[in-house]
Amino acid sequence: MNKATKVFVAGHRGLVGSALTRRLCSDYEVVVRTHAELELEDRAAVSRFYAEVRPDAVVLAAARVGGIHANNTYPADFIGRNLAIQQSVIWGALEAEVPNFLFLGSSCVYPREAAQPIKEEALLTGKPEPTNAPYAIAKIAGMMMCDAIRRQHGLNYFTAMPPNVYGPNDNFDLKNSHVLPALIRKFHDALPDGPVEVWGSGTPKREFMYSDDVADACAFLLSHGGVEGHVNVGTGRSIAIADLAALIQRTVGHKGEIVWNRDMPDGFPEKTMDVTRLHDLGWQESISLEDGVAKAYAWYLENAA
């Protein structure tokens, strides 16, 4: 892959997709389409697009995503719509003879009881976390499709597995967002000292990665020639939700009380990924959680607040 390589980023307006677009533009010719221009669930439309554009590589960052509330409220959408997108975009790429394909997976595909930190080999060794099982199963299907295409056809199709991602263009909707952006908004809305309700007990541990680091790791893997199967992309470090809430509270400058709603589910007790494979390939993250949260809050103030 070189400057003349044409890369289609599907989902370029989203959290990860926008970071990927920014990063890949410096190395490749990047092609994007809005939802109005290309409906990714429409297999015929995607096939026509591939025939017209003839990309050398595709990055699939488009998906129906959300936190625990969204997963519990829209389970059919999370499996059905994501499977439709993956069938159109991944299988369509194979039919169009696209040689390189990077699929964005998710750490939630790993079993709830997986040993920590989670190695790539833990996939399918147990049941997924019930609160996001439909989404996880859809993602697993996409991963298996890429791996099967690689094994059967010899094409460079693989999956990058990020943890909880945050950063510019995040979703700050309180009903459908992930925990970190939801906390940013809650603490900001409660300024200077109003009470803030946080779901669960605060004890679960999560790994967070700034979107620009995820994008840089993906660009590295594409230039490296990909990987067989899937590779964990993360920091290898996690933080308790209670400590994350305290960090965001300090960053925002909120002085009020944190109220823990223990009637709401915790989800995974812990999700920390083993990133030895990625580090051995020669890549490591550069943005700390503290700096990343400060960047994310600054973006929220400028663009969403």
Side-chain angles (χ1 to χ4, degrees), residues 289-302:
L289 182 60
E290 291 78 7
D291 289 345
V293 168
K295 288 174 179 284
Y297 184 50
W299 188 91
Y300 175 78
L301 290 176
E302 185 173 346

Side-chain angles (χ1 to χ4, degrees), residues 22-81:
R22 292 192 301 272
R23 174 63 183 82
L24 295 175
C25 277
S26 62
D27 296 327
Y28 311 114
E29 178 188 347
V30 175
V31 179
V32 298
R33 292 291 186 273
T34 65
H35 179 77
E37 293 169 329
L38 179 62
E39 170 53 73
L40 296 179
E41 294 180 40
D42 186 337
R43 187 171 175 183
V46 172
S47 294
R48 290 193 297 270
F49 165 78
Y50 281 146
E52 173 190 347
V53 175
R54 304 300 300 176
D56 302 297
V58 174
V59 179
L60 178 51
R64 180 68 183 265
V65 299
I68 289 178
H69 175 80
N71 274 270
N72 281 334
T73 306
Y74 309 108
D77 287 356
F78 274 82
I79 189 168
R81 298 191 67 182

Side-chain angles (χ1 to χ4, degrees), residues 13-26:
R13 288 180 166 176
L15 169 61
V16 177
S18 60
L20 279 162
T21 301
R22 292 192 301 272
R23 174 63 183 82
L24 295 175
C25 277
S26 62

Side-chain angles (χ1 to χ4, degrees), residues 99-281:
N100 302 285
F101 198 106
L102 169 56
F103 178 57
L104 267 296
S106 169
S107 61
C108 76
V109 303
Y110 288 119
R112 173 183 170 87
E113 305 301 333
Q116 304 290 324
I118 307 172
K119 296 180 179 292
E120 284 90 349
E121 294 77 15
L123 185 68
L124 295 178
T125 59
K127 294 181 178 180
E129 158 62 35
T131 56
N132 58 27
Y135 174 77
I137 290 169
K139 282 291 186 181
I140 292 170
M143 296 167 60
M144 291 294 131
M145 188 183 298
C146 288
D147 192 41
I149 289 170
R150 184 185 185 94
R151 290 189 287 115
Q152 182 175 336
H153 298 279
L155 299 176
N156 183 34
Y157 283 43
F158 66 99
T159 300
M161 299 277 280
N164 290 50
V165 185
Y166 68 101
N169 295 306
D170 212 337
N171 175 16
F172 293 89
D173 180 88
L174 292 180
K175 290 185 177 180
N176 298 319
S177 63
H178 288 103
V179 60
L180 194 152
L183 289 175
I184 286 177
R185 179 171 176 183
K186 283 185 174 184
F187 282 114
H188 177 80
D189 288 350
L191 285 172
D193 55 6
V196 170
E197 179 185 273
V198 183
W199 288 5
S201 64
T203 59
K205 300 180 73 174
R206 295 289 183 270
E207 180 180 0
F208 297 91
M209 194 172 196
Y210 195 72
S211 58
D212 285 351
D213 268 347
V214 176
D216 193 64
C218 289
F220 169 83
L221 291 171
L222 279 171
S223 67
H224 187 273
V227 294
E228 184 175 349
H230 61 281
V231 60
N232 290 340
V233 171
T235 67
R237 298 181 301 277
S238 60
I239 182 173
I241 296 301
D243 293 332
L244 175 70
L247 169 60
I248 294 175
Q249 184 181 39
R250 291 194 303 272
T251 303
V252 173
H254 177 264
K255 304 297 183 182
E257 179 186 8
I258 299 176
V259 180
W260 295 94
N261 184 349
R262 288 173 170 79
D263 292 331
M264 303 305 293
D266 275 334
F268 275 88
E270 180 177 353
K271 274 196 300 180
T272 308
M273 293 198 296
D274 186 318
V275 291
T276 301
R277 189 179 181 194
L278 180 62
H279 288 176
D280 286 348
L281 288 171

